[in-house]
PDB file of all heavy atoms in Angstrom:
ATOM      1  N   ASP A  21      -3.918 -11.649  -8.452  1.00  0.00           N
ATOM      2  CA  ASP A  21      -5.082 -10.817  -8.180  1.00  0.00           C
ATOM      3  C   ASP A  21      -5.214  -9.719  -9.223  1.00  0.00           C
ATOM      4  O   ASP A  21      -6.307  -9.381  -9.648  1.00  0.00           O
ATOM      5  CB  ASP A  21      -4.961 -10.179  -6.786  1.00  0.00           C
ATOM      6  CG  ASP A  21      -5.147 -11.219  -5.697  1.00  0.00           C
ATOM      7  OD1 ASP A  21      -5.704 -12.295  -6.019  1.00  0.00           O
ATOM      8  OD2 ASP A  21      -4.750 -10.969  -4.560  1.00  0.00           O
ATOM      9  N   ALA A  22      -4.080  -9.177  -9.643  1.00  0.00           N
ATOM     10  CA  ALA A  22      -4.117  -8.102 -10.626  1.00  0.00           C
ATOM     11  C   ALA A  22      -4.767  -8.576 -11.922  1.00  0.00           C
ATOM     12  O   ALA A  22      -5.413  -7.815 -12.614  1.00  0.00           O
ATOM     13  CB  ALA A  22      -2.709  -7.579 -10.895  1.00  0.00           C
ATOM     14  N   GLU A  23      -4.610  -9.863 -12.222  1.00  0.00           N
ATOM     15  CA  GLU A  23      -5.151 -10.364 -13.483  1.00  0.00           C
ATOM     16  C   GLU A  23      -6.669 -10.418 -13.460  1.00  0.00           C
ATOM     17  O   GLU A  23      -7.298 -10.507 -14.502  1.00  0.00           O
ATOM     18  CB  GLU A  23      -4.566 -11.741 -13.793  1.00  0.00           C
ATOM     19  CG  GLU A  23      -3.092 -11.648 -14.191  1.00  0.00           C
ATOM     20  CD  GLU A  23      -2.507 -12.979 -14.609  1.00  0.00           C
ATOM     21  OE1 GLU A  23      -3.288 -13.913 -14.876  1.00  0.00           O
ATOM     22  OE2 GLU A  23      -1.293 -13.089 -14.652  1.00  0.00           O
ATOM     23  N   LEU A  24      -7.251 -10.352 -12.301  1.00  0.00           N
ATOM     24  CA  LEU A  24      -8.708 -10.312 -12.219  1.00  0.00           C
ATOM     25  C   LEU A  24      -9.251  -9.023 -12.824  1.00  0.00           C
ATOM     26  O   LEU A  24     -10.430  -8.906 -13.106  1.00  0.00           O
ATOM     27  CB  LEU A  24      -9.165 -10.427 -10.760  1.00  0.00           C
ATOM     28  CG  LEU A  24      -8.831 -11.757 -10.066  1.00  0.00           C
ATOM     29  CD1 LEU A  24      -9.254 -11.711  -8.615  1.00  0.00           C
ATOM     30  CD2 LEU A  24      -9.519 -12.916 -10.784  1.00  0.00           C
ATOM     31  N   ASP A  25      -8.398  -8.052 -13.032  1.00  0.00           N
ATOM     32  CA  ASP A  25      -8.805  -6.772 -13.610  1.00  0.00           C
ATOM     33  C   ASP A  25      -9.164  -6.892 -15.086  1.00  0.00           C
ATOM     34  O   ASP A  25      -9.516  -5.926 -15.713  1.00  0.00           O
ATOM     35  CB  ASP A  25      -7.686  -5.735 -13.475  1.00  0.00           C
ATOM     36  CG  ASP A  25      -7.342  -5.474 -12.028  1.00  0.00           C
ATOM     37  OD1 ASP A  25      -8.134  -5.835 -11.150  1.00  0.00           O
ATOM     38  OD2 ASP A  25      -6.265  -4.916 -11.798  1.00  0.00           O
ATOM     39  N   SER A  26      -9.015  -8.100 -15.651  1.00  0.00           N
ATOM     40  CA  SER A  26      -9.174  -8.323 -17.085  1.00  0.00           C
ATOM     41  C   SER A  26      -8.073  -7.625 -17.853  1.00  0.00           C
ATOM     42  O   SER A  26      -8.117  -7.491 -19.051  1.00  0.00           O
ATOM     43  CB  SER A  26     -10.554  -7.901 -17.615  1.00  0.00           C
ATOM     44  OG  SER A  26     -10.575  -6.517 -17.888  1.00  0.00           O
ATOM     45  N   ASP A  27      -7.079  -7.150 -17.123  1.00  0.00           N
ATOM     46  CA  ASP A  27      -5.897  -6.581 -17.775  1.00  0.00           C
ATOM     47  C   ASP A  27      -4.757  -7.579 -17.616  1.00  0.00           C
ATOM     48  O   ASP A  27      -3.717  -7.279 -17.056  1.00  0.00           O
ATOM     49  CB  ASP A  27      -5.513  -5.243 -17.154  1.00  0.00           C
ATOM     50  CG  ASP A  27      -6.497  -4.164 -17.560  1.00  0.00           C
ATOM     51  OD1 ASP A  27      -6.712  -4.013 -18.770  1.00  0.00           O
ATOM     52  OD2 ASP A  27      -7.033  -3.496 -16.676  1.00  0.00           O
ATOM     53  N   ALA A  28      -4.999  -8.789 -18.101  1.00  0.00           N
ATOM     54  CA  ALA A  28      -4.018  -9.859 -17.912  1.00  0.00           C
ATOM     55  C   ALA A  28      -2.700  -9.545 -18.588  1.00  0.00           C
ATOM     56  O   ALA A  28      -1.683 -10.135 -18.280  1.00  0.00           O
ATOM     57  CB  ALA A  28      -4.572 -11.183 -18.441  1.00  0.00           C
ATOM     58  N   GLU A  29      -2.725  -8.583 -19.521  1.00  0.00           N
ATOM     59  CA  GLU A  29      -1.488  -8.224 -20.210  1.00  0.00           C
ATOM     60  C   GLU A  29      -0.448  -7.679 -19.235  1.00  0.00           C
ATOM     61  O   GLU A  29       0.726  -7.637 -19.539  1.00  0.00           O
ATOM     62  CB  GLU A  29      -1.756  -7.164 -21.277  1.00  0.00           C
ATOM     63  CG  GLU A  29      -2.518  -7.689 -22.462  1.00  0.00           C
ATOM     64  CD  GLU A  29      -4.011  -7.634 -22.231  1.00  0.00           C
ATOM     65  OE1 GLU A  29      -4.421  -7.415 -21.071  1.00  0.00           O
ATOM     66  OE2 GLU A  29      -4.753  -7.807 -23.183  1.00  0.00           O
ATOM     67  N   ALA A  30      -0.890  -7.259 -18.072  1.00  0.00           N
ATOM     68  CA  ALA A  30       0.050  -6.737 -17.081  1.00  0.00           C
ATOM     69  C   ALA A  30       1.137  -7.765 -16.790  1.00  0.00           C
ATOM     70  O   ALA A  30       2.277  -7.412 -16.525  1.00  0.00           O
ATOM     71  CB  ALA A  30      -0.675  -6.362 -15.791  1.00  0.00           C
ATOM     72  N   ALA A  31       0.761  -9.032 -16.864  1.00  0.00           N
ATOM     73  CA  ALA A  31       1.735 -10.079 -16.591  1.00  0.00           C
ATOM     74  C   ALA A  31       2.873 -10.051 -17.609  1.00  0.00           C
ATOM     75  O   ALA A  31       3.998 -10.393 -17.299  1.00  0.00           O
ATOM     76  CB  ALA A  31       1.059 -11.441 -16.607  1.00  0.00           C
ATOM     77  N   ASP A  32       2.561  -9.611 -18.836  1.00  0.00           N
ATOM     78  CA  ASP A  32       3.584  -9.571 -19.876  1.00  0.00           C
ATOM     79  C   ASP A  32       4.704  -8.605 -19.521  1.00  0.00           C
ATOM     80  O   ASP A  32       5.818  -8.742 -19.988  1.00  0.00           O
ATOM     81  CB  ASP A  32       2.972  -9.146 -21.214  1.00  0.00           C
ATOM     82  CG  ASP A  32       1.986 -10.186 -21.723  1.00  0.00           C
ATOM     83  OD1 ASP A  32       2.060 -11.337 -21.236  1.00  0.00           O
ATOM     84  OD2 ASP A  32       1.151  -9.846 -22.552  1.00  0.00           O
ATOM     85  N   ALA A  33       4.377  -7.610 -18.708  1.00  0.00           N
ATOM     86  CA  ALA A  33       5.384  -6.610 -18.366  1.00  0.00           C
ATOM     87  C   ALA A  33       6.544  -7.242 -17.606  1.00  0.00           C
ATOM     88  O   ALA A  33       7.636  -6.698 -17.564  1.00  0.00           O
ATOM     89  CB  ALA A  33       4.766  -5.502 -17.530  1.00  0.00           C
ATOM     90  N   ASP A  34       6.292  -8.394 -17.025  1.00  0.00           N
ATOM     91  CA  ASP A  34       7.331  -9.040 -16.239  1.00  0.00           C
ATOM     92  C   ASP A  34       8.345  -9.772 -17.111  1.00  0.00           C
ATOM     93  O   ASP A  34       9.333 -10.292 -16.618  1.00  0.00           O
ATOM     94  CB  ASP A  34       6.702 -10.013 -15.236  1.00  0.00           C
ATOM     95  CG  ASP A  34       6.010  -9.279 -14.118  1.00  0.00           C
ATOM     96  OD1 ASP A  34       6.475  -8.198 -13.745  1.00  0.00           O
ATOM     97  OD2 ASP A  34       4.989  -9.791 -13.639  1.00  0.00           O
ATOM     98  N   GLN A  35       8.105  -9.817 -18.400  1.00  0.00           N
ATOM     99  CA  GLN A  35       9.012 -10.534 -19.273  1.00  0.00           C
ATOM    100  C   GLN A  35      10.252  -9.721 -19.607  1.00  0.00           C
ATOM    101  O   GLN A  35      11.190 -10.233 -20.203  1.00  0.00           O
ATOM    102  CB  GLN A  35       8.294 -10.951 -20.565  1.00  0.00           C
ATOM    103  CG  GLN A  35       7.198 -11.987 -20.274  1.00  0.00           C
ATOM    104  CD  GLN A  35       6.353 -12.301 -21.485  1.00  0.00           C
ATOM    105  OE1 GLN A  35       6.593 -11.761 -22.560  1.00  0.00           O
ATOM    106  NE2 GLN A  35       5.371 -13.158 -21.315  1.00  0.00           N
TER     107      GLN A  35
END
Side-chain angles (χ1 to χ4, degrees):
D21 289 341
E23 289 184 16
L24 296 176
D25 299 344
S26 84
D27 287 307
E29 289 86 347
D32 294 341
D34 288 327
Q35 294 173 1

